[in-house]
Amino acid sequence: MMDRKEFLVKLGLGVAAIAFMDTLQGCSKNTPSPNNAPAALNVNFTFLLTDATYAALRNVGGYVYTNGVIVARTATNTYIAVAQACTHAGCDVVYELQQNDFYCPCHGSVFNASGAVTVGPASYSLQLMTVKVTGNSVNVHS
Ligand code: FES
């Protein structure tokens, strides 16, 4: 037979467990559904490296966001571009010069320079764009 004190202890644990479960559910309700196949971007735009908006690309390792795309300057002075929205839940990825990859700060997914997933939880690649540089002019297209 359970005495009153034992009952209250068990009740307390039950309430704590329920409160914890509610907290977990609350988080998941506020997080976008992860890993839905991303819609393909259809882009074709050109900008000048001399434009102040793109000044970050004058430096190795610099990157900019434009038209839903992240454009980055690699250690070999080439430019690469992929869709900026992480395929897990849509956060903007950042370019990592040392690894030459794209990292998502929200849950840690990593994509290589071609946009392929190397570390989850993302399971879909970032869409790779074609970049063509002519003098100071950079064209990016899907
Ligand atoms: S949004 Fe979750 S890893 Fe990018």
Side-chain angles (χ1 to χ4, degrees), residues 39-44 127 129 141-142:
L41 283 177
N42 183 12
V43 296
N44 187 355
Q127 183 182 350
M129 305 297 166
H141 63 90
S142 46

Side-chain angles (χ1 to χ4, degrees), residues 50-102:
T50 51
D51 185 329
T53 304
Y54 304 97
L57 294 176
R58 296 178 198 155
N59 302 312
V60 167
Y63 60 88
V64 297
Y65 300 108
T66 179
N67 297 285
V69 173
I70 179 172
V71 183
R73 182 169 173 177
T74 70
T76 56
N77 284 316
T78 58
Y79 295 90
I80 55 176
V82 296
Q84 73 186 60
C86 177
T87 58
H88 176 235
C91 294
D92 289 342
V93 297
V94 298
Y95 177 66
E96 297 185 306
L97 176 65
Q98 297 303 318
Q99 297 85 355
N100 190 36
D101 64 15
F102 297 94

